[in-house]
Amino acid sequence: MAKLITGIDIGAERLKMAVCSDQGVVQVAVEEVPESLVRDGRVTSFEAMAEVVRTAARKNKINTKDCALALHSRDVFTRRITVPAMTVEELSLNLPFEFRDYIADDKGKYNFDYAVLGMKRDAAGEPVEMDILAAAVPSETIEAYTAMLRRAGFRLKSAAPD
């Protein structure tokens, strides 16, 4: 049996849920979000939103508990950067410094991640430069969404900028 995951996107007017497998989308649900529960892209009450998500899942018979969340752009710093070719460990150490102009707090209060968009190679085929999409999210944001989704009956496995 294919591994399933529920994608969740919380918008100002609608909650979108999609159950996906390795082969594609299996089920889709769209439900209205009560007025003022999301303002300027941010959830105003995580407790109330947990109930909206739980109710939508039950109504649409969505039983896949592992989920991936689309984070609103107001919750995430994103940068497209070019860096010298480096290992995963080196990139993990250097990534926080790429956000120094955006983050005044302690770097330990953020979750960092990246996606390699491309690799520039020299004539011998050795990696020289990496084209990276980098993201930084406050840890408290991830913790708040994790707790909200847990109350709604889901397990947050992944979060990415919308």
Side-chain angles (χ1 to χ4, degrees):
M1 182 174 186
K3 178 78 172 143
L4 298 175
I5 192 161
T6 301
I8 298 175
D9 182 9
I10 301 168
E13 297 176 5
R14 288 177 194 80
L15 166 69
K16 284 94 50 195
M17 303 172 83
V19 179
C20 303
S21 73
D22 298 341
Q23 287 74 41
V25 177
V26 175
Q27 181 182 4
V28 174
V30 179
E31 296 292 332
E32 298 296 317
V33 170
E35 196 172 318
S36 77
L37 195 50
V38 177
R39 190 172 297 133
D40 294 327
R42 293 206 165 110
V43 174
T44 58
S45 171
F46 284 99
E47 292 79 18
M49 184 56 75
E51 188 57 37
V52 169
V53 173
R54 180 182 18 257
T55 301
R58 285 181 182 159
K59 177 181 173 185
N60 293 282
K61 297 181 173 81
I62 294 176
N63 299 317
T64 304
K65 299 305 179 191
D66 290 342
C67 72
L69 179 68
L71 294 169
H72 190 275
S73 59
R74 289 186 180 263
D75 288 327
V76 184
F77 293 106
T78 56
R79 292 200 60 209
R80 187 168 181 170
I81 57 174
T82 302
V83 295
M86 58 182 75
T87 66
V88 172
E89 293 81 19
E90 291 170 329
L91 191 55
S92 295
L93 288 172
N94 287 306
L95 207 53
F97 295 103
E98 295 297 332
F99 289 94
R100 67 183 171 272
D101 295 337
Y102 304 95
I103 298 172
D105 291 336
D106 175 24
K107 306 281 189 268
K109 294 181 179 179
Y110 286 81
N111 292 29
F112 297 92
D113 204 358
Y114 65 93
V116 177
L117 302 174
M119 186 79 70
K120 184 177 177 183
R121 297 179 183 277
D122 63 14
E126 294 296 317
V128 177
E129 250 179 19
M130 301 166 68
D131 184 16
I132 303 278
L133 179 62
V137 181
S139 298
E140 66 183 24
T141 299
I142 296 297
E143 291 164 6
Y145 278 110
T146 299
M148 178 202 73
L149 291 166
R150 189 177 315 117
R151 283 191 297 274
F154 288 91
R155 290 180 296 270
L156 182 61
K157 295 295 184 176
S158 176
D162 58 359

Short mmCIF file of all heavy atoms in Angstrom, two decimals, residues 23-93:
data_model
loop_
_atom_site.label_atom_id
_atom_site.label_comp_id
_atom_site.label_asym_id
_atom_site.label_seq_id
_atom_site.Cartn_x
_atom_site.Cartn_y
_atom_site.Cartn_z
N GLN A 23 1.35 8.09 -6.17
CA GLN A 23 0.78 8.17 -7.51
C GLN A 23 0.05 9.50 -7.77
O GLN A 23 -0.31 9.80 -8.89
CB GLN A 23 -0.21 7.02 -7.78
CG GLN A 23 0.47 5.68 -7.99
CD GLN A 23 1.02 5.07 -6.71
OE1 GLN A 23 0.37 5.14 -5.67
NE2 GLN A 23 2.21 4.52 -6.77
N GLY A 24 -0.21 10.28 -6.75
CA GLY A 24 -0.89 11.56 -6.94
C GLY A 24 -1.95 11.82 -5.89
O GLY A 24 -1.99 11.19 -4.84
N VAL A 25 -2.84 12.75 -6.20
CA VAL A 25 -3.88 13.16 -5.27
C VAL A 25 -4.98 12.10 -5.24
O VAL A 25 -5.49 11.68 -6.27
CB VAL A 25 -4.47 14.52 -5.68
CG1 VAL A 25 -5.61 14.92 -4.75
CG2 VAL A 25 -3.38 15.59 -5.67
N VAL A 26 -5.35 11.68 -4.05
CA VAL A 26 -6.35 10.64 -3.83
C VAL A 26 -7.70 11.26 -3.46
O VAL A 26 -8.75 10.78 -3.86
CB VAL A 26 -5.90 9.68 -2.71
CG1 VAL A 26 -6.96 8.66 -2.38
CG2 VAL A 26 -4.59 9.00 -3.09
N GLN A 27 -7.66 12.35 -2.68
CA GLN A 27 -8.89 12.96 -2.18
C GLN A 27 -8.64 14.44 -1.94
O GLN A 27 -7.55 14.84 -1.51
CB GLN A 27 -9.30 12.27 -0.88
CG GLN A 27 -10.56 12.78 -0.25
CD GLN A 27 -10.85 12.07 1.07
OE1 GLN A 27 -10.07 11.25 1.54
NE2 GLN A 27 -11.97 12.41 1.67
N VAL A 28 -9.66 15.27 -2.19
CA VAL A 28 -9.56 16.71 -1.96
C VAL A 28 -10.77 17.17 -1.16
O VAL A 28 -11.88 16.69 -1.38
CB VAL A 28 -9.51 17.48 -3.31
CG1 VAL A 28 -9.55 18.98 -3.07
CG2 VAL A 28 -8.28 17.10 -4.10
N ALA A 29 -10.54 18.10 -0.25
CA ALA A 29 -11.63 18.70 0.53
C ALA A 29 -11.37 20.19 0.66
O ALA A 29 -10.24 20.61 0.89
CB ALA A 29 -11.72 18.06 1.91
N VAL A 30 -12.42 20.97 0.50
CA VAL A 30 -12.34 22.42 0.67
C VAL A 30 -13.48 22.82 1.59
O VAL A 30 -14.64 22.48 1.34
CB VAL A 30 -12.46 23.17 -0.68
CG1 VAL A 30 -12.41 24.67 -0.46
CG2 VAL A 30 -11.36 22.72 -1.64
N GLU A 31 -13.15 23.52 2.67
CA GLU A 31 -14.15 23.96 3.64
C GLU A 31 -13.96 25.44 3.92
O GLU A 31 -12.83 25.96 3.88
CB GLU A 31 -14.02 23.16 4.94
CG GLU A 31 -14.31 21.69 4.80
CD GLU A 31 -15.77 21.38 4.49
OE1 GLU A 31 -16.64 22.17 4.88
OE2 GLU A 31 -16.01 20.34 3.87
N GLU A 32 -15.04 26.11 4.25
CA GLU A 32 -14.99 27.53 4.61
C GLU A 32 -14.33 27.70 5.98
O GLU A 32 -14.53 26.88 6.87
CB GLU A 32 -16.40 28.12 4.64
CG GLU A 32 -17.12 28.08 3.31
CD GLU A 32 -16.47 28.94 2.24
OE1 GLU A 32 -16.06 30.08 2.55
OE2 GLU A 32 -16.36 28.46 1.09
N VAL A 33 -13.57 28.78 6.11
CA VAL A 33 -12.97 29.14 7.39
C VAL A 33 -13.81 30.27 7.98
O VAL A 33 -14.13 31.23 7.27
CB VAL A 33 -11.50 29.60 7.19
CG1 VAL A 33 -10.94 30.20 8.47
CG2 VAL A 33 -10.64 28.46 6.71
N PRO A 34 -14.20 30.17 9.23
CA PRO A 34 -14.99 31.24 9.84
C PRO A 34 -14.29 32.60 9.71
O PRO A 34 -13.06 32.69 9.79
CB PRO A 34 -15.09 30.83 11.31
CG PRO A 34 -14.94 29.35 11.28
CD PRO A 34 -13.97 29.06 10.16
N GLU A 35 -15.10 33.62 9.53
CA GLU A 35 -14.58 34.98 9.34
C GLU A 35 -13.69 35.39 10.51
O GLU A 35 -13.98 35.07 11.66
CB GLU A 35 -15.77 35.94 9.25
CG GLU A 35 -15.39 37.28 8.68
CD GLU A 35 -16.61 38.14 8.42
OE1 GLU A 35 -17.61 37.60 7.91
OE2 GLU A 35 -16.53 39.33 8.74
N SER A 36 -12.62 36.04 10.21
CA SER A 36 -11.64 36.60 11.15
C SER A 36 -10.80 35.54 11.88
O SER A 36 -10.06 35.88 12.79
CB SER A 36 -12.28 37.57 12.15
OG SER A 36 -12.97 36.87 13.16
N LEU A 37 -10.91 34.28 11.51
CA LEU A 37 -10.08 33.24 12.13
C LEU A 37 -8.66 33.28 11.55
O LEU A 37 -7.69 32.86 12.19
CB LEU A 37 -10.69 31.86 11.94
CG LEU A 37 -10.14 30.74 12.81
CD1 LEU A 37 -10.09 31.12 14.27
CD2 LEU A 37 -10.95 29.48 12.63
N VAL A 38 -8.55 33.83 10.33
CA VAL A 38 -7.24 34.06 9.71
C VAL A 38 -7.23 35.53 9.28
O VAL A 38 -8.10 35.97 8.53
CB VAL A 38 -7.01 33.15 8.49
CG1 VAL A 38 -5.69 33.47 7.82
CG2 VAL A 38 -7.05 31.68 8.90
N ARG A 39 -6.25 36.26 9.79
CA ARG A 39 -6.14 37.68 9.45
C ARG A 39 -4.72 37.96 8.97
O ARG A 39 -3.76 37.59 9.64
CB ARG A 39 -6.47 38.53 10.67
CG ARG A 39 -6.62 40.01 10.34
CD ARG A 39 -7.14 40.84 11.49
NE ARG A 39 -8.49 40.38 11.84
CZ ARG A 39 -8.88 40.13 13.09
NH1 ARG A 39 -8.04 40.27 14.08
NH2 ARG A 39 -10.10 39.74 13.35
N ASP A 40 -4.61 38.58 7.82
CA ASP A 40 -3.31 38.89 7.21
C ASP A 40 -2.44 37.65 7.08
O ASP A 40 -1.23 37.68 7.30
CB ASP A 40 -2.57 39.96 8.02
CG ASP A 40 -3.28 41.31 8.00
OD1 ASP A 40 -3.90 41.64 6.97
OD2 ASP A 40 -3.20 42.03 9.02
N GLY A 41 -3.07 36.52 6.77
CA GLY A 41 -2.34 35.27 6.56
C GLY A 41 -1.98 34.52 7.82
O GLY A 41 -1.37 33.46 7.76
N ARG A 42 -2.35 35.05 8.96
CA ARG A 42 -2.00 34.41 10.23
C ARG A 42 -3.24 33.93 10.97
O ARG A 42 -4.26 34.62 11.02
CB ARG A 42 -1.23 35.39 11.11
CG ARG A 42 0.13 35.72 10.52
CD ARG A 42 1.09 36.12 11.61
NE ARG A 42 2.44 36.09 11.11
CZ ARG A 42 3.18 37.16 10.91
NH1 ARG A 42 2.71 38.35 11.16
NH2 ARG A 42 4.42 37.04 10.48
N VAL A 43 -3.15 32.76 11.54
CA VAL A 43 -4.23 32.19 12.33
C VAL A 43 -4.36 33.02 13.61
O VAL A 43 -3.37 33.24 14.31
CB VAL A 43 -3.95 30.70 12.67
CG1 VAL A 43 -5.00 30.15 13.62
CG2 VAL A 43 -3.88 29.88 11.39
N THR A 44 -5.59 33.46 13.92
CA THR A 44 -5.80 34.29 15.11
C THR A 44 -6.11 33.46 16.36
O THR A 44 -5.87 33.91 17.47
CB THR A 44 -6.95 35.31 14.88
OG1 THR A 44 -8.13 34.59 14.55
CG2 THR A 44 -6.59 36.29 13.78
N SER A 45 -6.64 32.25 16.16
CA SER A 45 -6.91 31.36 17.29
C SER A 45 -6.58 29.93 16.88
O SER A 45 -7.32 29.32 16.09
CB SER A 45 -8.38 31.45 17.72
OG SER A 45 -8.66 30.42 18.66
N PHE A 46 -5.48 29.42 17.41
CA PHE A 46 -5.08 28.06 17.06
C PHE A 46 -6.06 27.02 17.61
O PHE A 46 -6.26 25.98 17.00
CB PHE A 46 -3.65 27.78 17.54
CG PHE A 46 -2.61 28.43 16.66
CD1 PHE A 46 -2.02 29.62 17.02
CD2 PHE A 46 -2.23 27.84 15.47
CE1 PHE A 46 -1.08 30.24 16.21
CE2 PHE A 46 -1.28 28.43 14.64
CZ PHE A 46 -0.70 29.63 15.02
N GLU A 47 -6.67 27.31 18.75
CA GLU A 47 -7.65 26.38 19.32
C GLU A 47 -8.87 26.27 18.42
O GLU A 47 -9.34 25.17 18.12
CB GLU A 47 -8.07 26.83 20.73
CG GLU A 47 -6.98 26.74 21.77
CD GLU A 47 -5.98 27.91 21.69
OE1 GLU A 47 -6.29 28.96 21.08
OE2 GLU A 47 -4.88 27.76 22.23
N ALA A 48 -9.38 27.40 17.97
CA ALA A 48 -10.56 27.39 17.09
C ALA A 48 -10.21 26.77 15.74
O ALA A 48 -11.01 26.03 15.16
CB ALA A 48 -11.09 28.81 16.91
N MET A 49 -9.01 27.05 15.23
CA MET A 49 -8.62 26.48 13.94
C MET A 49 -8.46 24.96 14.05
O MET A 49 -8.77 24.23 13.11
CB MET A 49 -7.33 27.12 13.43
CG MET A 49 -6.93 26.63 12.04
SD MET A 49 -8.20 26.87 10.76
CE MET A 49 -8.06 28.61 10.51
N ALA A 50 -7.99 24.47 15.18
CA ALA A 50 -7.89 23.02 15.38
C ALA A 50 -9.26 22.37 15.22
O ALA A 50 -9.39 21.31 14.61
CB ALA A 50 -7.30 22.71 16.76
N GLU A 51 -10.27 23.00 15.76
CA GLU A 51 -11.64 22.47 15.65
C GLU A 51 -12.13 22.51 14.20
O GLU A 51 -12.79 21.58 13.74
CB GLU A 51 -12.59 23.25 16.56
CG GLU A 51 -13.97 22.64 16.65
CD GLU A 51 -13.97 21.19 17.12
OE1 GLU A 51 -13.15 20.83 17.99
OE2 GLU A 51 -14.79 20.40 16.61
N VAL A 52 -11.79 23.56 13.47
CA VAL A 52 -12.18 23.66 12.05
C VAL A 52 -11.53 22.54 11.26
O VAL A 52 -12.18 21.87 10.45
CB VAL A 52 -11.79 25.04 11.47
CG1 VAL A 52 -11.93 25.07 9.95
CG2 VAL A 52 -12.62 26.14 12.10
N VAL A 53 -10.24 22.30 11.50
CA VAL A 53 -9.51 21.24 10.78
C VAL A 53 -10.08 19.87 11.15
O VAL A 53 -10.32 19.04 10.27
CB VAL A 53 -7.99 21.32 11.08
CG1 VAL A 53 -7.27 20.12 10.47
CG2 VAL A 53 -7.41 22.62 10.54
N ARG A 54 -10.30 19.63 12.44
CA ARG A 54 -10.85 18.34 12.88
C ARG A 54 -12.23 18.11 12.26
O ARG A 54 -12.52 17.02 11.75
CB ARG A 54 -10.95 18.29 14.41
CG ARG A 54 -11.54 16.96 14.91
CD ARG A 54 -11.74 16.80 16.41
NE ARG A 54 -11.76 17.98 17.22
CZ ARG A 54 -10.73 18.39 17.98
NH1 ARG A 54 -9.62 17.70 18.02
NH2 ARG A 54 -10.83 19.49 18.71
N THR A 55 -13.09 19.11 12.28
CA THR A 55 -14.44 18.99 11.71
C THR A 55 -14.38 18.73 10.20
O THR A 55 -15.11 17.88 9.69
CB THR A 55 -15.25 20.27 12.01
OG1 THR A 55 -15.32 20.44 13.42
CG2 THR A 55 -16.65 20.18 11.43
N ALA A 56 -13.50 19.42 9.50
CA ALA A 56 -13.36 19.23 8.05
C ALA A 56 -12.88 17.81 7.74
O ALA A 56 -13.38 17.17 6.80
CB ALA A 56 -12.39 20.26 7.47
N ALA A 57 -11.93 17.31 8.53
CA ALA A 57 -11.43 15.96 8.31
C ALA A 57 -12.52 14.92 8.53
O ALA A 57 -12.68 13.99 7.73
CB ALA A 57 -10.23 15.68 9.21
N ARG A 58 -13.29 15.08 9.61
CA ARG A 58 -14.38 14.13 9.89
C ARG A 58 -15.45 14.19 8.81
O ARG A 58 -15.92 13.17 8.33
CB ARG A 58 -14.99 14.42 11.25
CG ARG A 58 -14.13 13.97 12.40
CD ARG A 58 -14.78 14.26 13.73
NE ARG A 58 -13.90 13.86 14.82
CZ ARG A 58 -13.99 14.32 16.04
NH1 ARG A 58 -14.92 15.21 16.35
NH2 ARG A 58 -13.16 13.91 16.97
N LYS A 59 -15.86 15.39 8.44
CA LYS A 59 -16.91 15.58 7.44
C LYS A 59 -16.53 14.94 6.10
O LYS A 59 -17.37 14.35 5.44
CB LYS A 59 -17.17 17.08 7.24
CG LYS A 59 -18.18 17.40 6.16
CD LYS A 59 -18.35 18.89 6.02
CE LYS A 59 -19.24 19.22 4.84
NZ LYS A 59 -19.31 20.67 4.63
N ASN A 60 -15.25 15.05 5.74
CA ASN A 60 -14.78 14.53 4.46
C ASN A 60 -14.14 13.15 4.56
O ASN A 60 -13.55 12.67 3.61
CB ASN A 60 -13.81 15.54 3.83
CG ASN A 60 -14.51 16.81 3.44
OD1 ASN A 60 -15.18 16.86 2.42
ND2 ASN A 60 -14.37 17.86 4.25
N LYS A 61 -14.24 12.55 5.74
CA LYS A 61 -13.71 11.20 5.99
C LYS A 61 -12.22 11.08 5.62
O LYS A 61 -11.80 10.14 4.97
CB LYS A 61 -14.54 10.15 5.25
CG LYS A 61 -15.98 10.11 5.74
CD LYS A 61 -16.77 9.04 5.00
CE LYS A 61 -18.13 8.88 5.60
NZ LYS A 61 -19.14 9.82 5.20
N ILE A 62 -11.47 12.08 6.07
CA ILE A 62 -10.02 12.06 5.87
C ILE A 62 -9.40 11.41 7.09
O ILE A 62 -9.46 11.95 8.19
CB ILE A 62 -9.47 13.48 5.63
CG1 ILE A 62 -10.01 14.02 4.31
CG2 ILE A 62 -7.94 13.48 5.65
CD1 ILE A 62 -9.63 15.44 4.00
N ASN A 63 -8.82 10.23 6.90
CA ASN A 63 -8.27 9.45 8.01
C ASN A 63 -6.75 9.40 8.03
O ASN A 63 -6.17 8.82 8.94
CB ASN A 63 -8.83 8.02 7.95
CG ASN A 63 -10.33 8.02 8.09
OD1 ASN A 63 -10.88 8.73 8.91
ND2 ASN A 63 -11.01 7.23 7.26
N THR A 64 -6.10 9.97 7.02
CA THR A 64 -4.64 9.96 6.95
C THR A 64 -4.11 11.01 7.92
O THR A 64 -4.32 12.21 7.73
CB THR A 64 -4.18 10.26 5.51
OG1 THR A 64 -4.77 9.32 4.64
CG2 THR A 64 -2.68 10.20 5.40
N LYS A 65 -3.44 10.57 8.97
CA LYS A 65 -3.04 11.45 10.06
C LYS A 65 -1.73 12.20 9.83
O LYS A 65 -1.54 13.29 10.36
CB LYS A 65 -2.96 10.67 11.38
CG LYS A 65 -4.30 10.05 11.77
CD LYS A 65 -5.40 11.08 11.84
CE LYS A 65 -6.73 10.46 12.20
NZ LYS A 65 -7.84 11.38 12.02
N ASP A 66 -0.80 11.62 9.08
CA ASP A 66 0.44 12.33 8.78
C ASP A 66 0.10 13.47 7.82
O ASP A 66 -0.65 13.28 6.87
CB ASP A 66 1.47 11.41 8.14
CG ASP A 66 2.02 10.39 9.11
OD1 ASP A 66 1.89 10.60 10.34
OD2 ASP A 66 2.60 9.39 8.66
N CYS A 67 0.65 14.67 8.10
CA CYS A 67 0.30 15.80 7.26
C CYS A 67 1.50 16.68 6.93
O CYS A 67 2.51 16.69 7.63
CB CYS A 67 -0.82 16.62 7.88
SG CYS A 67 -0.35 17.60 9.30
N ALA A 68 1.32 17.42 5.83
CA ALA A 68 2.27 18.44 5.39
C ALA A 68 1.51 19.75 5.37
O ALA A 68 0.36 19.80 4.91
CB ALA A 68 2.81 18.10 4.01
N LEU A 69 2.10 20.80 5.86
CA LEU A 69 1.43 22.08 6.00
C LEU A 69 2.06 23.13 5.09
O LEU A 69 3.28 23.25 5.04
CB LEU A 69 1.53 22.55 7.46
CG LEU A 69 0.90 23.89 7.81
CD1 LEU A 69 -0.62 23.82 7.69
CD2 LEU A 69 1.30 24.30 9.22
N ALA A 70 1.22 23.88 4.39
CA ALA A 70 1.68 25.02 3.61
C ALA A 70 1.68 26.23 4.54
O ALA A 70 0.64 26.60 5.07
CB ALA A 70 0.77 25.25 2.42
N LEU A 71 2.84 26.82 4.75
CA LEU A 71 2.96 27.98 5.63
C LEU A 71 2.78 29.26 4.81
O LEU A 71 3.33 29.39 3.71
CB LEU A 71 4.34 28.01 6.29
CG LEU A 71 4.63 26.89 7.28
CD1 LEU A 71 6.10 26.89 7.65
CD2 LEU A 71 3.77 27.05 8.52
N HIS A 72 2.04 30.21 5.34
CA HIS A 72 1.83 31.49 4.67
C HIS A 72 3.15 32.24 4.59
O HIS A 72 4.01 32.13 5.48
CB HIS A 72 0.79 32.30 5.44
CG HIS A 72 0.34 33.51 4.70
ND1 HIS A 72 1.02 34.69 4.73
CD2 HIS A 72 -0.73 33.71 3.87
CE1 HIS A 72 0.41 35.59 3.98
NE2 HIS A 72 -0.66 35.01 3.44
N SER A 73 3.32 33.02 3.55
CA SER A 73 4.57 33.75 3.33
C SER A 73 4.91 34.71 4.48
O SER A 73 6.08 35.03 4.69
CB SER A 73 4.53 34.50 2.01
OG SER A 73 3.46 35.42 2.00
N ARG A 74 3.92 35.14 5.24
CA ARG A 74 4.18 36.02 6.39
C ARG A 74 4.86 35.27 7.54
O ARG A 74 5.43 35.90 8.42
CB ARG A 74 2.90 36.65 6.90
CG ARG A 74 2.33 37.68 5.95
CD ARG A 74 1.14 38.36 6.60
NE ARG A 74 0.57 39.35 5.73
CZ ARG A 74 0.85 40.64 5.80
NH1 ARG A 74 1.67 41.08 6.70
NH2 ARG A 74 0.28 41.48 4.96
N ASP A 75 4.80 33.95 7.53
CA ASP A 75 5.40 33.15 8.60
C ASP A 75 6.81 32.66 8.26
O ASP A 75 7.46 32.06 9.11
CB ASP A 75 4.53 31.93 8.91
CG ASP A 75 3.25 32.31 9.63
OD1 ASP A 75 3.26 33.27 10.41
OD2 ASP A 75 2.23 31.63 9.40
N VAL A 76 7.25 32.90 7.02
CA VAL A 76 8.50 32.31 6.55
C VAL A 76 9.38 33.36 5.87
O VAL A 76 8.89 34.16 5.09
CB VAL A 76 8.22 31.19 5.52
CG1 VAL A 76 9.52 30.50 5.10
CG2 VAL A 76 7.24 30.18 6.04
N PHE A 77 10.65 33.34 6.20
CA PHE A 77 11.63 34.12 5.44
C PHE A 77 12.16 33.18 4.37
O PHE A 77 12.61 32.06 4.68
CB PHE A 77 12.81 34.56 6.32
CG PHE A 77 12.44 35.54 7.39
CD1 PHE A 77 12.36 35.15 8.71
CD2 PHE A 77 12.18 36.87 7.07
CE1 PHE A 77 12.03 36.05 9.71
CE2 PHE A 77 11.85 37.78 8.06
CZ PHE A 77 11.78 37.37 9.38
N THR A 78 12.14 33.60 3.12
CA THR A 78 12.72 32.80 2.05
C THR A 78 13.74 33.63 1.28
O THR A 78 13.57 34.84 1.13
CB THR A 78 11.65 32.27 1.06
OG1 THR A 78 10.91 33.36 0.54
CG2 THR A 78 10.72 31.29 1.73
N ARG A 79 14.78 32.97 0.85
CA ARG A 79 15.82 33.62 0.05
C ARG A 79 16.32 32.63 -0.99
O ARG A 79 16.51 31.45 -0.69
CB ARG A 79 17.00 34.02 0.93
CG ARG A 79 16.68 35.12 1.90
CD ARG A 79 17.91 35.83 2.40
NE ARG A 79 18.66 36.43 1.32
CZ ARG A 79 19.97 36.62 1.34
NH1 ARG A 79 20.68 36.26 2.38
NH2 ARG A 79 20.59 37.18 0.33
N ARG A 80 16.55 33.13 -2.16
CA ARG A 80 17.23 32.34 -3.19
C ARG A 80 18.68 32.81 -3.17
O ARG A 80 18.95 34.00 -3.35
CB ARG A 80 16.60 32.55 -4.55
CG ARG A 80 17.18 31.62 -5.58
CD ARG A 80 16.37 31.61 -6.83
NE ARG A 80 16.95 30.67 -7.79
CZ ARG A 80 16.37 30.32 -8.90
NH1 ARG A 80 15.18 30.82 -9.21
NH2 ARG A 80 16.95 29.47 -9.71
N ILE A 81 19.58 31.88 -2.94
CA ILE A 81 20.99 32.22 -2.77
C ILE A 81 21.87 31.34 -3.64
O ILE A 81 21.47 30.24 -4.03
CB ILE A 81 21.43 32.10 -1.29
CG1 ILE A 81 21.17 30.68 -0.76
CG2 ILE A 81 20.72 33.13 -0.44
CD1 ILE A 81 21.69 30.42 0.65
N THR A 82 23.05 31.84 -3.91
CA THR A 82 24.07 31.06 -4.59
C THR A 82 25.25 30.95 -3.63
O THR A 82 25.73 31.96 -3.11
CB THR A 82 24.52 31.75 -5.90
OG1 THR A 82 23.37 31.92 -6.73
CG2 THR A 82 25.55 30.93 -6.63
N VAL A 83 25.68 29.72 -3.39
CA VAL A 83 26.78 29.47 -2.46
C VAL A 83 27.77 28.53 -3.13
O VAL A 83 27.42 27.79 -4.06
CB VAL A 83 26.29 28.84 -1.13
CG1 VAL A 83 25.40 29.82 -0.38
CG2 VAL A 83 25.56 27.54 -1.36
N PRO A 84 29.02 28.55 -2.66
CA PRO A 84 29.98 27.57 -3.17
C PRO A 84 29.49 26.15 -2.85
O PRO A 84 28.76 25.95 -1.88
CB PRO A 84 31.26 27.87 -2.40
CG PRO A 84 31.08 29.24 -1.84
CD PRO A 84 29.62 29.44 -1.67
N ALA A 85 29.85 25.20 -3.66
CA ALA A 85 29.47 23.80 -3.40
C ALA A 85 29.99 23.40 -2.02
O ALA A 85 31.11 23.71 -1.64
CB ALA A 85 30.06 22.90 -4.47
N MET A 86 29.11 22.75 -1.25
CA MET A 86 29.48 22.33 0.10
C MET A 86 28.66 21.11 0.50
O MET A 86 27.67 20.79 -0.16
CB MET A 86 29.31 23.48 1.10
CG MET A 86 27.93 24.06 1.19
SD MET A 86 27.81 25.46 2.35
CE MET A 86 28.59 26.76 1.45
N THR A 87 29.07 20.51 1.57
CA THR A 87 28.36 19.33 2.08
C THR A 87 27.10 19.76 2.81
O THR A 87 26.92 20.94 3.13
CB THR A 87 29.25 18.53 3.05
OG1 THR A 87 29.48 19.33 4.21
CG2 THR A 87 30.57 18.11 2.41
N VAL A 88 26.26 18.81 3.13
CA VAL A 88 25.04 19.07 3.89
C VAL A 88 25.38 19.67 5.25
O VAL A 88 24.74 20.63 5.70
CB VAL A 88 24.22 17.76 4.06
CG1 VAL A 88 23.05 17.97 5.01
CG2 VAL A 88 23.74 17.26 2.71
N GLU A 89 26.41 19.14 5.90
CA GLU A 89 26.81 19.64 7.21
C GLU A 89 27.29 21.08 7.12
O GLU A 89 26.94 21.92 7.96
CB GLU A 89 27.91 18.76 7.83
CG GLU A 89 27.47 17.37 8.19
CD GLU A 89 27.42 16.42 6.99
OE1 GLU A 89 28.05 16.69 5.94
OE2 GLU A 89 26.71 15.40 7.10
N GLU A 90 28.09 21.39 6.10
CA GLU A 90 28.59 22.75 5.93
C GLU A 90 27.44 23.72 5.64
O GLU A 90 27.39 24.83 6.16
CB GLU A 90 29.60 22.81 4.79
CG GLU A 90 30.90 22.10 5.09
CD GLU A 90 31.80 21.95 3.88
OE1 GLU A 90 31.29 21.82 2.75
OE2 GLU A 90 33.03 21.93 4.07
N LEU A 91 26.50 23.27 4.82
CA LEU A 91 25.35 24.10 4.49
C LEU A 91 24.49 24.37 5.73
O LEU A 91 24.02 25.48 5.95
CB LEU A 91 24.52 23.44 3.40
CG LEU A 91 23.43 24.29 2.76
CD1 LEU A 91 23.99 25.60 2.22
CD2 LEU A 91 22.76 23.52 1.65
N SER A 92 24.31 23.36 6.57
CA SER A 92 23.54 23.52 7.81
C SER A 92 24.18 24.56 8.72
O SER A 92 23.48 25.31 9.39
CB SER A 92 23.41 22.20 8.55
OG SER A 92 22.66 21.29 7.79
N LEU A 93 25.49 24.62 8.76
CA LEU A 93 26.20 25.60 9.58
C LEU A 93 26.11 27.00 8.98
O LEU A 93 26.00 27.99 9.70
CB LEU A 93 27.67 25.21 9.73
CG LEU A 93 27.97 24.02 10.63
CD1 LEU A 93 29.44 23.64 10.53
CD2 LEU A 93 27.60 24.32 12.06
#
